[in-house]
Amino acid sequence: MIQAIMVFNNHGKPRLVRFYQRFPEEIQQQIVRETFHLVLKRDDNICNFLEGGSLIGGSDYKLIYRHYATLYFVFCVDSSESELGILDLIQVFVETLDKCFENVCELDLIFHMDKVHYILQEVVMGGMVLETNMNEIVAQIEAQNRLEKSEGGLSAAPARAVSAVKNINLPEIPRNINIGDLNIKVPNLSPFV
Amino acid sequence: MVVPSLKLQDLIEEIRGAKTQAQEREVIQKECAHIRASFRDGDPLHRHRQLAKLLYVHMLGYPAHFGQMECLKLIASPRFSDKRMGYLGAMLLLDERQDAHLLITNSIKNDLSQGSQPVQGLALCTLSTVGSAEMCRDLATEVEKLLLQPSPYVRKKAVLTAVHMIRKVPELSNIFLPPCAQLLQERHHGILLGTITLITELCEGSPAALRHFRKVVPQLVEILRTLVTSGYSAEHSISGVSDPFLQVQILRLLRILGRNHEDSSETMNDLLAQVATNTETSRNAGNAVLLETVLTIMDIRSAAGLRVLAVNILGRFLLNSDKNIRYVALTSLLRLVQSDHSAVQRHRSTVVECLQEPDTSLSRRALELSLALVNSSNVRSMTRELQGFLESCPPDLRADCASGILLAAERFAPTKRWHIDTILHVLTTAGTHVRDDAVANLTQLIGGAQELHAYSVCRLYSALAEDISQQPLVQVAAWCIGEYGDLLLEGSCEETEPLQVEEEEVLVLLEKVLQSHMSLPATRGYALTALMKLSTRLRGDNNRIRQVVSIYGSCLDVELQQRAVEYNTLFRKYDHMRAAILEKMPLMERGGPQVDEEAEESKEARLSEAAPVPTEPQASKLLDLLDLLDGTSGDSQHPPLDPSPGGTLVHLLDLPCAPPALAPIPNVKVFEREGLQLNLSFARPSEIPALLLITATATNSSGSDVTHFVCQAAVPKSIQLQLQAPSGDTVPAQGGLPITQLLRILNPNKAPLRLKLRLTYNHFGQSVQEIFEVNNLPLETWQ
């Protein structure tokens, strides 16, 4: 079973944090920091497996990580998962992100955190591997995005704006404003009121 | 004017714009205030956007608990974007300990039965992540219905949700076991993957399910065979291997089903051989499958040839350039070393090479495996390798390595001398990391090997002369020098280079140990005792030793001080006995800490039995103990102590525990009027704890007699009272003979004692009647 999935950058700032085992909030933050410190110590040409830190359960759990450019993807798993298999799973996840975001980079993960969660939910559910076929995952995500767009969001904004203006109680507008030498004729606004 | 709320992207921009932590906190706190206000106002349009922002700051570590109820509202909304955000919030913010958690059960139920497919997917996802035991029980039937729905998307999610439910509520296995047979016939990989996981969970949970599912082994074999032999399928393949995840899961399930079961193992043999030989090993995916195959082969009752093949594959893995593969190979070999020891031995040399890895994950595994591979035939070479490793290994592995070497040496040492050498080497290299009993073990070992006394003491002396910082080494060396100092000075050891040591040098060295700030108190104790023993071993005069010993008589450390004082006394008063007391020690028995002290005590006891007069320091110790005991027991009796010191300890422990005598209850004055006083005195015989005897005494100090004195008493209903006849009814004036009356009170329930007294008498020509309750009865009267 997968205990947790963490994505953070080279400075330890979290970009995605998902726990499949309940930990209290402060412990969650500490675990992210502890994992970052453990992973940072590793050189680039040594193996991708580490024993889990003490906060997450110690040597019963393993940290399997991959380093892509500025991001670390870390999966914390127990002994029932195949280590090499999880390495492949991380690759599948990253490639799926790539397909969904068109050449994904760290900024995409920063600004679309919710979308990354939705994609992750199609790969891993309840700490278990759900689907590894990238095409299926991408198709599902695109269907959901279409559903969300059709419901409202941006396309409904102009309609909402008009109804908002309609609701404003405008006082009586004078037809003519006479101030000294100035004589302004106020145009008829009735179609908009 | 309504301030439009920030979009998530804008908030993130602002947070990233903050240059310091404090600035970031400020931005976030301001925004959280807006979010809270928006939640209070109940704005439905922007709720999901507000929650998105809240989840973002939650990931950064800021509190977000006020968003929990909003998740519920969003989940209940009909819009998909709201539900999506609400369920995400529920999964990130809620858990079984919050009350809000149970409230989503209803929404999940509705979504499971009536929602569109994506919505059902969301509900199942949430249920499998945060579903508590009650929620699982409530929703089990809904999930079961979804298992057989047409849409594969929903079915695969339902299957995994079932796995979670069984983990939370094992009784639900009854519901989810029957559909498995049909699910196994699916062709959709996602459903198959989930089903295999479900069956694995069921089998691990109950032996009955395990037996039931052995029937499907042929089916599983077929599925796997199709995967392995089918051509390149772009959909599911990872680097040329078709759906390695599914293959690995099936192999795991086969392992569980085939364990200890001949027939199932038979059925799998061919397939396993096929997978083992045909899988592409150039990329990680293939290796994952291959590794799983190897583990399955080794775990079931497979043919011998197949097992050899499997171990050879592992051996090949060990030579792979990819470090991950080497790591997994070492881990797997460690699992196999117990059951297939000889097969793993073949790869011993490769394992030992892995000790040199710079990667600590790998070297740790290699260390564990190397230690497991030591046996009597390879112990010398393995120990050499491990000692080499000990010198250069990273500090966190030192302790494990040192104790591992010592353990291996103990089990497989070919000769005593080799054993002593090995322990010596470990102590000099990693002395601070060894376990506490290493010192005791080594001294016992040396003590038992008489032919090696000279050798040991010479080597230990040289080691000590070089380095006095490693405490275990110093302790052993000090002990040896003390015991065998004469052999050291003879310099007659043939096995090492001849060592010419002067008496002065030895004393100087021991004094250095005593004075060094690096020495622990225990070490200094060893050194002092060694110096003392040398006073009989060395031929020169003992002035130097006597000086040192008397200096330490005023040492701040109590233990050292006591020893020094005792030794001083030995020099001054009991010089004639010094030689006998400081003789060479006999061999001690192994076992328990403090072996040295016990042996010394028993040796002293034996010696003093021989001598008629017990040595003074020991006798004073005994008397101190006696005094202590006399002080506490007060007047309790104990049998006279046997004067023989050896038996004294036993006697002290044998002392009977006399019950403390009951303290007498104080008298109480209950009435006084014009010179007439009534006192109560109490007695509680120990044979009848419920009985209280009160003696009421009336005294008269006035000038007039008291006549017709009658005392009556009343007690609560639960207590029995018996009033005996008074001694008289007149109390003469001026302290004449008092009247006494006995009251017997039986209070078996230990109820609080209340006593009401009625007195009638004539005094100073007037008749007096007094009725009162006694308030000041002491607790001991009724407790």
Side-chain angles (χ1 to χ4, degrees):
Chain A
M1 193 185 127
I2 302 175
Q3 297 280 90
I5 296 180
M6 291 174 261
V7 180
F8 40 74
N9 70 359
N10 292 342
H11 301 290
K13 273 209 109 60
R15 297 298 174 211
L16 178 81
V17 175
R18 191 68 183 253
F19 282 90
Y20 294 100
Q21 180 90 292
R22 188 60 200 179
F23 293 99
E25 313 262 313
E26 324 80 55
I27 307 287
Q28 284 185 10
Q29 282 297 312
Q30 283 172 15
I31 289 177
V32 175
R33 272 199 295 276
E34 183 190 54
T35 311
F36 168 62
H37 285 302
L38 285 172
V39 161
L40 194 63
K41 279 191 256 185
R42 310 279 291 171
D43 286 334
D44 269 333
N45 56 353
I46 56 182
C47 72
N48 302 81
F49 308 121
L50 265 181
E51 306 240 305
S54 54
L55 284 172
I56 206 163
S59 53
D60 287 337
Y61 298 102
K62 287 211 184 66
L63 294 170
I64 302 178
Y65 70 95
R66 277 196 112 128
H67 192 187
Y68 295 92
T70 57
L71 290 173
Y72 284 97
F73 282 71
V74 185
F75 279 43
C76 178
V77 303
D78 68 7
S79 51
S80 73
E81 297 288 337
S82 153
E83 292 106 340
L84 298 176
I86 295 289
L87 276 181
D88 279 332
L89 188 66
I90 300 181
Q91 184 68 17
V92 166
F93 179 47
V94 173
E95 281 183 26
T96 312
L97 286 176
D98 201 38
K99 280 214 171 84
C100 291
F101 283 106
E102 314 282 324
N103 291 326
V104 67
C105 64
E106 191 182 342
L107 285 176
D108 291 314
L109 270 79
I110 297 173
F111 282 99
H112 299 282
M113 183 198 96
D114 49 343
K115 295 209 173 30
V116 179
H117 268 289
Y118 300 143
I119 296 173
L120 182 60
Q121 273 167 207
E122 299 299 326
V123 181
V124 176
M125 194 178 94
M128 295 170 277
V129 179
L130 173 66
E131 179 67 68
T132 55
N133 181 344
M134 270 185 278
N135 295 336
E136 274 224 26
I137 301 171
V138 174
Q140 203 30 248
I141 294 289
E142 281 176 2
Q144 289 177 9
N145 287 344
R146 277 197 300 274
L147 190 53
E148 197 164 336
K149 278 208 179 66
S150 70
E151 267 187 352
L154 291 171
S155 56
R160 284 209 291 274
V162 170
S163 64
V165 171
K166 275 204 165 84
N167 288 332
I168 300 176
N169 255 331
L170 292 171
E172 266 298 320
I173 304 176
R175 294 282 148 203
N176 277 309
I177 304 177
N178 284 318
I179 308 172
D181 287 336
L182 294 170
N183 202 331
I184 303 166
K185 185 158 161 61
V186 179
N188 194 355
L189 291 173
S190 46
F192 294 101
V193 178
Chain B
M1 197 174 81
V2 176
V3 177
S5 59
L6 281 178
K7 294 215 317 256
L8 174 62
Q9 275 78 355
D10 298 333
L11 172 66
I12 298 177
E13 283 276 4
E14 271 196 42
I15 294 178
R16 282 167 65 78
K19 302 241 179 5
T20 65
Q21 184 80 334
Q23 235 179 344
E24 178 185 292
R25 230 193 327 266
E26 210 184 291
V27 166
I28 290 180
Q29 272 172 357
K30 207 170 67 170
E31 188 55 37
C32 282
H34 282 302
I35 297 178
R36 281 180 125 114
S38 160
F39 284 163
R40 258 201 318 270
D41 294 338
D43 171 17
L45 277 177
H46 298 121
R47 198 178 276 141
H48 75 282
R49 178 196 289 181
Q50 307 289 42
L51 188 63
K53 287 186 278 184
L54 196 57
L55 291 177
Y56 184 80
V57 305
H58 173 252
M59 180 178 74
L60 292 179
Y62 295 89
H65 46 275
F66 52 90
Q68 284 164 11
M69 290 310 283
E70 305 307 311
C71 298
L72 298 175
K73 293 185 195 154
L74 281 170
I75 293 174
S77 151
R79 284 158 45 94
F80 178 69
S81 28
D82 282 348
K83 274 195 199 292
R84 210 185 202 193
M85 188 59 69
Y87 274 121
L88 181 62
M91 282 188 270
L92 292 178
L93 296 180
L94 297 181
D95 77 76
E96 290 181 30
R97 280 166 283 188
Q98 261 95 24
D99 301 321
H101 170 257
L102 269 177
L103 297 172
I104 60 175
T105 311
N106 224 17
S107 304
I108 295 185
K109 198 182 199 135
N110 290 338
D111 285 336
L112 283 180
S113 45
Q114 294 153 13
S116 63
Q117 282 184 25
V119 170
Q120 286 173 320
L122 283 175
L124 285 168
C125 187
T126 310
L127 186 54
S128 71
T129 311
V130 293
S132 67
E134 290 113 59
M135 284 170 72
C136 291
R137 276 197 207 99
D138 286 339
L139 298 167
T141 36
E142 292 292 337
V143 173
E144 191 200 349
K145 271 190 271 179
L146 292 175
L147 279 180
L148 302 165
Q149 244 212 17
S151 149
Y153 173 69
V154 176
R155 289 170 80 184
K156 74 183 180 192
K157 289 202 169 184
V159 175
L160 275 192
T161 310
V163 179
H164 172 87
M165 287 180 149
I166 293 176
R167 284 198 186 132
K168 281 279 175 185
V169 186
E171 298 85 49
L172 290 175
S173 338
N174 302 332
I175 306 185
F176 292 117
L177 200 145
C180 289
Q182 191 178 351
L183 285 169
L184 257 187
Q185 294 172 1
E186 288 296 318
R187 316 199 90 231
H188 187 273
H189 282 219
I191 300 182
L192 271 178
L193 189 60
T195 310
I196 305 283
T197 315
L198 178 60
I199 298 179
T200 312
E201 186 69 30
L202 286 166
C203 290
E204 278 173 352
S206 106
L210 184 62
R211 278 192 297 274
H212 171 91
F213 281 113
R214 286 225 174 89
K215 294 191 303 244
V216 306
V217 169
Q219 210 175 346
L220 292 169
V221 168
E222 266 319 302
I223 300 176
L224 190 51
R225 198 191 301 274
T226 328
L227 279 175
V228 172
T229 54
S230 70
Y232 182 74
S233 131
E235 288 263 304
H236 287 103
S237 74
I238 310 249
S239 358
V241 181
S242 17
D243 208 343
F245 298 97
L246 185 57
Q247 288 195 36
V248 164
Q249 284 293 93
I250 295 179
L251 283 165
R252 259 170 208 253
L253 181 56
L254 286 176
R255 180 159 61 214
I256 295 176
L257 293 174
R259 205 178 273 156
N260 290 331
H261 196 249
E262 283 292 339
D263 292 338
S264 309
S265 310
E266 272 284 327
T267 329
M268 295 176 215
N269 263 325
D270 288 339
L271 173 66
L272 291 172
Q274 191 177 8
V275 175
T277 39
N278 286 353
T279 308
E280 181 69 49
T281 57
S282 56
R283 302 294 295 277
N284 188 54
N287 286 323
V289 173
L290 205 49
L291 182 71
E292 214 61 42
T293 315
V294 165
L295 290 175
T296 303
I297 292 176
M298 299 310 287
D299 223 6
I300 64 173
R301 300 265 175 88
S302 48
L306 203 49
R307 294 180 92 88
V308 170
L309 174 64
V311 179
N312 287 345
I313 294 178
L314 282 181
R316 263 206 330 266
F317 274 0
L318 270 183
L319 299 167
N320 195 312
S321 52
D322 184 350
K323 294 213 161 55
N324 294 329
I325 309 281
R326 290 220 285 279
Y327 178 89
V328 210
L330 285 172
T331 318
S332 315
L333 283 173
L334 195 56
R335 279 163 71 165
L336 296 177
V337 78
Q338 300 299 327
S339 48
D340 289 75
H341 192 90
S342 44
V344 181
Q345 277 284 358
R346 251 176 263 137
H347 301 280
R348 188 169 46 86
S349 43
T350 330
V351 171
V352 167
E353 274 171 29
C354 290
L355 278 174
Q356 310 302 326
E357 288 280 347
D359 178 0
T360 42
S361 299
L362 278 178
S363 51
R364 180 189 293 272
R365 286 274 174 271
L367 176 64
E368 284 170 19
L369 192 51
S370 307
L371 287 172
L373 283 177
V374 177
N375 63 19
S376 40
S377 45
N378 61 23
V379 67
R380 282 186 197 255
S381 47
M382 284 298 276
T383 315
R384 233 193 331 269
E385 296 282 347
L386 287 169
Q387 281 172 340
F389 178 60
L390 185 62
E391 278 163 16
S392 56
C393 77
D396 42 344
L397 291 178
R398 279 245 165 115
D400 292 327
C401 189
S403 37
I405 295 178
L406 290 179
L407 204 63
E410 211 172 286
R411 287 171 65 191
F412 300 115
T415 62
K416 282 202 176 154
R417 179 175 151 183
W418 181 91
H419 195 180
I420 292 177
D421 281 342
T422 312
I423 302 187
L424 200 62
H425 185 263
V426 171
L427 285 181
T428 36
T429 336
T432 41
H433 296 270
V434 296
R435 275 202 335 256
D436 296 332
D437 58 355
V439 173
N441 286 345
L442 185 53
T443 46
Q444 203 256 356
L445 188 62
I446 295 179
Q450 196 165 6
E451 66 281 7
L452 291 171
H453 285 172
Y455 171 72
S456 318
V457 73
C458 290
R459 288 217 51 199
L460 281 169
Y461 178 81
S462 336
L464 188 62
E466 276 182 34
D467 175 16
I468 62 167
S469 65
Q470 308 254 35
Q471 295 302 296
L473 178 66
V474 174
Q475 287 174 4
V476 177
W479 184 87
C480 270
I481 294 176
E483 280 291 300
Y484 311 122
D486 46 342
L487 294 175
L488 177 63
L489 293 170
E490 279 169 29
S492 59
C493 177
E494 325 83 38
E495 295 175 52
T496 63
E497 325 85 56
L499 200 56
Q500 278 303 99
V501 182
E502 298 296 314
E503 288 182 14
E504 286 295 309
E505 288 176 11
V506 178
L507 295 180
V508 162
L509 187 59
L510 283 177
E511 283 168 27
K512 202 163 104 173
V513 170
L514 262 179
Q515 287 157 7
S516 162
H517 63 277
M518 292 185 281
S519 299
L520 294 174
T523 314
R524 293 160 88 183
Y526 272 98
L528 192 60
T529 311
L531 266 180
M532 197 57 202
K533 289 185 196 168
L534 283 178
S535 71
T536 50
R537 315 270 197 268
L538 301 183
R539 281 181 286 264
D541 66 14
N542 294 328
N543 283 331
R544 191 160 179 161
I545 298 180
R546 289 175 81 135
Q547 252 181 347
V548 173
V549 166
S550 60
I551 289 175
Y552 276 86
S554 41
C555 172
L556 280 177
D557 184 304
V558 178
E559 169 77 24
L560 273 183
Q561 193 188 97
Q562 176 172 4
R563 280 182 198 230
V565 167
E566 289 169 9
Y567 294 154
N568 241 339
T569 323
L570 264 185
F571 269 127
R572 281 188 282 115
K573 284 202 199 164
Y574 296 96
D575 209 33
H576 54 283
M577 303 184 62
R578 192 162 42 91
I581 293 181
L582 296 173
E583 256 180 27
K584 288 227 171 92
M585 290 178 63
L587 185 59
M588 320 168 240
E589 278 103 51
R590 169 75 70 100
Q594 312 292 331
V595 174
D596 287 335
E597 267 86 55
E598 271 175 30
E600 284 196 359
E601 273 176 29
S602 63
K603 179 191 74 151
E604 282 178 359
R606 258 179 270 144
L607 278 174
S608 23
E609 270 170 12
V613 175
T615 59
E616 194 181 86
Q618 194 184 3
S620 63
K621 264 191 269 186
L622 292 173
L623 283 173
D624 287 342
L625 283 167
L626 287 176
D627 284 342
L628 267 175
L629 211 60
D630 272 340
T632 51
S633 55
D635 53 7
S636 59
Q637 317 87 1
H638 48 79
L641 287 171
D642 191 27
S644 87
T648 309
L649 282 169
V650 177
H651 274 267
L652 283 175
L653 290 172
D654 268 351
L655 277 183
C657 233
L662 287 168
I665 310 176
N667 292 353
V668 165
K669 184 168 86 169
V670 299
F671 176 73
E672 156 125 23
R673 188 175 156 172
E674 292 167 328
L676 174 67
Q677 238 186 23
L678 188 68
N679 276 332
L680 296 179
S681 62
F682 307 93
R684 286 186 77 171
S686 45
E687 308 89 38
I688 312 173
L691 181 65
L692 174 70
L693 299 168
I694 306 184
T695 309
T697 312
T699 49
N700 185 0
S701 58
S702 71
S704 168
D705 293 356
V706 169
T707 55
H708 301 96
F709 182 89
V710 174
C711 170
Q712 287 163 316
V715 289
K717 285 211 186 79
S718 57
I719 306 177
Q720 287 179 359
L721 171 65
Q722 204 181 43
L723 221 52
Q724 298 198 334
S727 62
D729 66 345
T730 307
V731 190
Q734 311 287 4
L737 188 67
I739 298 172
T740 55
Q741 186 167 25
L742 188 64
L743 294 90
R744 287 173 67 96
I745 291 185
L746 256 179
N747 186 3
N749 301 332
K750 289 199 194 288
L753 180 62
R754 295 170 61 187
L755 193 60
K756 214 163 180 180
L757 293 175
R758 181 167 175 261
L759 304 175
T760 51
Y761 58 91
N762 292 341
H763 197 201
F764 293 113
Q766 287 179 320
S767 62
V768 180
Q769 184 187 265
E770 290 276 356
I771 303 178
F772 57 88
E773 186 168 312
V774 180
N775 300 339
N776 46 354
L777 284 171
L779 282 172
E780 294 90 15
T781 53
W782 52 272
Q783 268 189 347

